[in-house]
Amino acid sequence: MTRENDKRPEWIPKDATEGFATRIMSGVEQEEVKQAPSSKRKQRKLADYVSGVRNNDRTILAKGITLIESNAPKHIHSAQRLLNELLPHTGHSLRIGITGVPGAGKSTFIEALGSYLCEQGLQVAVLAVDPSSSVTGGSILGDKTRMESLSRNPRAFIRPSPSAGTLGGVTRKTRETMLLCEAAGYDVILIETIGVGQSEIAVRSMVDMFVLLVLTGAGDDLQGMKKGVMELADLLIVNKADGDNKRMAEVARNEYEQILHYLRPATDAWQTKALICSALHHNHIDTVWEQMKQFEHITKQSGVFEKRRQLQTKEWVYTMIKERLEADFFNHPFVKEKMPSIEQAVIEGKQPVTQAVRELFDEYEK
Amino acid sequence: MTRENDKRPEWIPKDATEGFATRIMSGVEQEEVKQAPSSKRKQRKLADYVSGVRNNDRTILAKGITLIESNAPKHIHSAQRLLNELLPHTGHSLRIGITGVPGAGKSTFIEALGSYLCEQGLQVAVLAVDPSSSVTGGSILGDKTRMESLSRNPRAFIRPSPSAGTLGGVTRKTRETMLLCEAAGYDVILIETIGVGQSEIAVRSMVDMFVLLVLTGAGDDLQGMKKGVMELADLLIVNKADGDNKRMAEVARNEYEQILHYLRPATDAWQTKALICSALHHNHIDTVWEQMKQFEHITKQSGVFEKRRQLQTKEWVYTMIKERLEADFFNHPFVKEKMPSIEQAVIEGKQPVTQAVRELFDEYEK
């Protein structure tokens, strides 16, 4: 593989990439009007993509991801053909989800962990799920300066959250991007979530291991934490264990250990652990990685690892189906128009719920 | 109202009730072939139902519930017309959900609390959500002897869980039964759940207050408890605080208080509390009721009570829509036939998920 010598930055400006991909895809589109050579040339183009991704050609990888992120039907079609070819080469990474309370230092932690893994000779891809980015205009991992050192590391590949709207859309794109990165040979995939809405559950549903970053002051933190997030975690890390804060972090770690004792572990055969680290000073990052490897080892031995992956894939099918069904229904013109007044009527007790729903379906099914 | 003198047992054998209701409804059905008198007579029949329920005529109430529990389209139609008439008279009760770890003594607790409330001059309806009953053949609250004393109390009305299949169906029926009971003047509705699958979440979505019954040995209990259930609770009650077990129960209560401190409360403006009681000896049942009244008072003052009810009604609409969409899709012959092989293909990495889903929809939408 040519990765070691590959000095191209993984940060191809989004516009440029998209423009390029669009040109490529327009090419494909134009070919479709022609006859015989079309499918041959398309086949060759697909083969180029496949080998490009497999050789971790970052330009091709980035273009492949752009295809996956596109909502244009012809891009979706091409992306699926590409994925189909790459599927046999996926699944070999360790997929780790990372969330945290605001201010816990997620970017610093990912930068520290990612750099450490690169030093160990591993290749790391960093992705994100942030359904809020289309609303706020920003996006996590979108700010290069946040992970300056990691983003310059030739062994690391960072891709910000796709800026498309729904959680379902963002989730699908991140999942498929993850598969592309695996086919490109990345050993560890770190998926950050900003913790908006249901995004933790979405990330938990696509990773092998889920990490929750917290700060000192366990009780107070937890009060502000979203319900049930702690029960998703396989590893709880008290960050910023440095300077005067170190002793406090140790206390918090003990408190969390106690709480964890009362909660049912997120993963069978693995007792969720609480650790401390200082991402800023790169302290205890090795311990964190040790625990992650330990987790992988134990869950693979017990079969829990493989079982979870199978279940995740199966559930992904069902989730996509449900999202599609709901999108079709709620975007139906009659439903869209009627929904507000029906909501009002049932809330005010003017119409029974069952009757209201029946009314909507009578029209929808016409 | 005639409730005080109403000595009729609320336990009308299910077959008899259903037979009677069927006869009534068959009558309605036959009328539909006739012309003018039909709608008049139907109107009169509806009016009889409405006034019967409003006067807490238990025979009529039971028949109304049987209508609601029927899956026959004409019964559903009649049930909805009845509900429509009764809606303005609903909403005045305190709705309390009750769950617990196996062996925590839910029936004994409901019997003790229900009897106490009757002594206070209140009228109590006891319902249940148990989607497993159709599988196991049994049903919670189905065994009269379990609440012998309460079932003989003229102020109490006990209705077992409908034995229909899906959680969605059972939930809809229990919700509508609750509304009928409210229209009949019941002051407190206790809804028991056996804690199978998602039934706790279903019950939480229809009640004002949610109570979790536990036993001594907090840590061990919680390990066996379903994830997140404790975070749904507004009141945690350590039952069987009697005899030698009393001191242990006090210890457990303290442990639970500590854990609760770390969890985000289920209800805004209310800190979840841990209590002890002995349902068997009717000890501390008054304290439990005090806390329930306190909960009602505080949440009503802060507006949380009303806001939650509105949200629950709204979410009920969305839940019903989603269930209907999924039932239609997954029962489609092509989908039903294809689903197993598609699941297999995606799990084995032979087909991308997005492509598999697209294939299903292409056929479904034809």
Side-chain angles (χ1 to χ4, degrees):
Chain A
M1 306 210 195
T2 60
R3 284 162 209 154
E4 263 78 351
N5 305 319
D6 187 350
K7 294 284 180 195
R8 267 167 299 184
E10 63 288 6
W11 271 105
I12 299 159
K14 204 168 182 316
D15 289 343
T17 320
E18 277 190 343
F20 195 62
T22 311
R23 257 175 284 134
I24 292 207
M25 296 318 301
S26 309
V28 172
E29 192 190 23
Q30 281 162 22
E31 283 173 333
E32 286 179 309
V33 275
K34 297 181 205 162
Q35 295 295 339
S38 140
S39 92
K40 248 191 206 164
R41 219 186 294 171
K42 271 163 79 179
Q43 209 55 47
R44 205 169 56 231
K45 208 139 252 180
L46 178 64
D48 288 348
Y49 259 90
V50 171
S51 68
V53 171
R54 292 276 291 134
N55 290 319
N56 194 16
D57 177 329
R58 281 148 180 263
T59 313
I60 302 281
L61 177 59
K63 275 192 265 174
I65 296 173
T66 304
L67 265 190
I68 277 171
E69 291 180 352
S70 167
N71 292 321
K74 63 175 184 292
H75 292 177
I76 293 175
H77 179 69
S78 305
Q80 291 306 312
R81 283 171 62 226
L82 176 60
L83 260 180
N84 206 20
E85 295 293 318
L86 292 173
L87 268 185
H89 310 289
T90 62
H92 304 294
S93 79
L94 179 62
R95 305 164 180 173
I96 302 173
I98 296 166
T99 191
V101 300
K106 287 190 290 292
S107 309
T108 316
F109 176 78
I110 290 171
E111 165 128 313
L113 178 62
S115 303
Y116 176 80
L117 296 178
C118 291
E119 280 166 33
Q120 309 299 306
L122 296 168
Q123 304 207 84
V124 183
V126 182
L127 312 176
V129 170
D130 178 10
S132 72
S133 64
S134 60
V135 182
T136 60
S139 77
I140 46 174
L141 300 177
D143 183 0
K144 269 191 263 185
T145 58
R146 284 174 66 215
M147 296 189 192
E148 217 181 328
S149 141
L150 188 62
S151 69
R152 279 195 311 264
N153 196 313
R155 291 177 168 279
F157 179 83
I158 305 182
R159 180 84 181 189
S161 175
S163 56
T166 66
L167 177 60
V170 172
T171 307
R172 196 265 301 161
K173 291 166 188 181
T174 305
R175 274 180 186 278
E176 294 181 348
T177 298
M178 176 174 80
L179 295 175
L180 248 59
C181 290
E182 286 185 341
Y186 288 92
D187 306 295
V188 179
I189 319 271
L190 302 176
I191 304 183
E192 180 185 359
T193 170
I194 204 161
V196 170
Q198 297 290 298
S199 63
E200 274 107 346
I201 290 162
V203 170
R204 167 78 274 187
S205 76
M206 66 174 86
V207 297
D208 305 312
M209 182 175 204
F210 197 62
V211 175
L212 173 61
L213 282 189
V214 293
L215 294 167
T216 53
D220 302 333
D221 258 22
L222 279 168
Q223 294 282 337
M225 206 179 281
K226 250 179 27 208
K227 279 179 210 173
V229 169
M230 207 162 74
E231 282 166 298
L232 300 175
D234 296 304
L235 209 55
L236 207 142
I237 304 176
V238 185
N239 190 18
K240 305 195 181 174
D242 38 44
D244 294 345
N245 205 40
K246 198 172 173 189
R247 213 190 50 80
M248 294 266 286
E250 299 266 16
V251 172
R253 196 201 69 84
N254 287 336
E255 282 181 17
Y256 278 114
E257 276 284 6
Q258 260 191 295
I259 305 167
L260 287 171
H261 171 70
Y262 292 114
L263 300 178
R264 223 175 98 181
T267 303
D268 288 345
W270 173 260
Q271 175 62 47
T272 304
K273 289 185 179 61
L275 304 173
I276 61 164
C277 87
S278 164
L280 190 65
H281 299 289
H282 292 235
N283 281 342
H284 300 300
I285 298 297
D286 49 351
T287 319
V288 167
W289 177 237
E290 267 316 310
Q291 285 298 325
M292 288 171 168
K293 278 199 296 189
Q294 185 73 6
F295 174 90
E296 185 182 15
H297 177 72
I298 287 179
T299 53
K300 277 190 172 166
Q301 286 247 314
S302 64
V304 167
F305 188 95
E306 187 55 27
K307 221 172 100 188
R308 167 177 273 155
R309 283 214 174 164
Q310 291 190 353
L311 197 67
Q312 286 177 337
T313 307
K314 198 174 132 180
E315 280 175 358
W316 181 12
V317 175
Y318 285 92
T319 305
M320 277 196 79
I321 289 172
K322 289 172 189 178
E323 280 165 0
R324 168 84 177 260
L325 289 170
E326 287 166 31
D328 288 351
F329 184 86
F330 291 110
N331 287 322
H332 184 281
F334 177 82
V335 174
K336 230 173 169 168
E337 190 204 315
K338 270 282 183 182
M339 212 59 207
S341 61
I342 278 180
E343 263 186 29
Q344 206 51 37
V346 295
I347 284 174
E348 288 172 3
K350 288 180 181 152
Q351 195 178 19
V353 168
T354 304
Q355 205 182 69
V357 171
R358 175 169 294 253
E359 204 181 297
L360 287 171
F361 273 92
D362 282 350
E363 192 68 28
Y364 178 66
E365 284 170 351
K366 261 183 199 169
Chain B
M1 306 213 194
T2 60
R3 283 161 209 155
E4 264 77 350
N5 304 319
D6 187 351
K7 294 284 178 195
R8 267 166 301 185
E10 63 287 5
W11 271 105
I12 299 158
K14 207 169 179 334
D15 290 343
T17 321
E18 275 190 344
F20 195 63
T22 310
R23 258 174 284 135
I24 292 207
M25 293 321 299
S26 310
V28 171
E29 193 191 22
Q30 280 161 21
E31 283 173 335
E32 285 180 310
V33 274
K34 297 181 207 164
Q35 293 295 340
S38 140
S39 91
K40 249 191 204 164
R41 221 187 291 172
K42 271 163 78 180
Q43 209 54 48
R44 206 169 55 231
K45 208 140 252 179
L46 178 64
D48 287 350
Y49 260 90
V50 171
S51 69
V53 171
R54 292 277 291 136
N55 289 320
N56 194 16
D57 177 330
R58 281 148 181 264
T59 315
I60 302 281
L61 177 58
K63 275 191 266 174
I65 296 174
T66 304
L67 264 190
I68 278 172
E69 291 179 352
S70 166
N71 292 321
K74 63 174 184 291
H75 291 177
I76 293 176
H77 180 68
S78 305
Q80 291 307 312
R81 284 171 62 227
L82 176 60
L83 261 180
N84 206 19
E85 295 293 317
L86 291 173
L87 269 184
H89 310 290
T90 62
H92 303 296
S93 79
L94 179 61
R95 305 164 180 174
I96 302 173
I98 296 166
T99 192
V101 299
K106 287 191 290 290
S107 309
T108 316
F109 176 78
I110 291 171
E111 165 129 312
L113 177 63
S115 303
Y116 176 80
L117 296 178
C118 291
E119 280 166 32
Q120 309 299 306
L122 296 168
Q123 305 206 84
V124 182
V126 182
L127 313 176
V129 169
D130 177 11
S132 72
S133 63
S134 59
V135 182
T136 60
S139 78
I140 46 174
L141 300 177
D143 183 0
K144 267 192 263 186
T145 58
R146 282 173 67 218
M147 295 188 193
E148 216 182 329
S149 141
L150 188 62
S151 69
R152 279 195 313 264
N153 197 314
R155 290 178 169 279
F157 179 83
I158 305 182
R159 181 83 181 190
S161 176
S163 56
T166 66
L167 178 60
V170 171
T171 307
R172 195 265 301 161
K173 290 166 188 180
T174 305
R175 274 180 184 278
E176 293 181 349
T177 297
M178 176 174 80
L179 296 175
L180 247 59
C181 291
E182 285 185 342
Y186 288 92
D187 306 294
V188 179
I189 319 271
L190 302 177
I191 305 182
E192 180 185 358
T193 171
I194 204 160
V196 171
Q198 298 289 300
S199 64
E200 273 106 346
I201 291 163
V203 169
R204 168 77 273 187
S205 76
M206 66 174 85
V207 298
D208 305 312
M209 182 176 204
F210 197 61
V211 176
L212 173 61
L213 281 190
V214 293
L215 293 168
T216 53
D220 302 334
D221 259 21
L222 280 168
Q223 294 281 339
M225 206 179 280
K226 250 179 26 211
K227 279 179 210 173
V229 169
M230 208 161 74
E231 282 166 298
L232 300 175
D234 296 305
L235 209 56
L236 207 143
I237 304 176
V238 185
N239 191 18
K240 306 196 181 173
D242 37 46
D244 293 347
N245 205 41
K246 198 171 172 190
R247 212 190 50 80
M248 294 264 287
E250 299 266 16
V251 173
R253 196 201 68 83
N254 287 337
E255 281 181 18
Y256 278 113
E257 275 285 5
Q258 260 192 294
I259 304 168
L260 287 171
H261 171 70
Y262 291 115
L263 300 178
R264 223 175 98 179
T267 303
D268 288 345
W270 174 260
Q271 175 61 47
T272 304
K273 288 185 180 60
L275 304 173
I276 60 164
C277 87
S278 164
L280 190 65
H281 299 289
H282 292 235
N283 281 343
H284 300 298
I285 298 296
D286 50 350
T287 319
V288 167
W289 178 237
E290 266 317 309
Q291 285 297 325
M292 289 172 167
K293 277 198 297 188
Q294 185 72 7
F295 175 88
E296 185 182 15
H297 177 73
I298 287 179
T299 54
K300 277 190 172 166
Q301 287 247 314
S302 65
V304 167
F305 188 96
E306 188 55 27
K307 223 172 100 188
R308 166 177 273 155
R309 283 214 173 164
Q310 291 189 353
L311 197 66
Q312 285 177 337
T313 308
K314 199 175 131 180
E315 280 175 358
W316 181 13
V317 175
Y318 285 92
T319 305
M320 277 196 78
I321 289 171
K322 290 173 188 177
E323 281 165 0
R324 168 85 177 262
L325 289 171
E326 287 166 30
D328 288 352
F329 184 85
F330 291 110
N331 287 322
H332 184 281
F334 176 81
V335 175
K336 231 173 168 167
E337 190 203 315
K338 270 282 184 181
M339 213 58 208
S341 61
I342 278 181
E343 263 186 30
Q344 205 52 38
V346 294
I347 284 175
E348 288 172 3
K350 287 180 182 153
Q351 195 179 19
V353 168
T354 303
Q355 204 182 71
V357 170
R358 175 170 294 254
E359 203 181 298
L360 286 171
F361 272 93
D362 282 350
E363 192 67 29
Y364 179 66
E365 284 170 351
K366 261 182 199 168

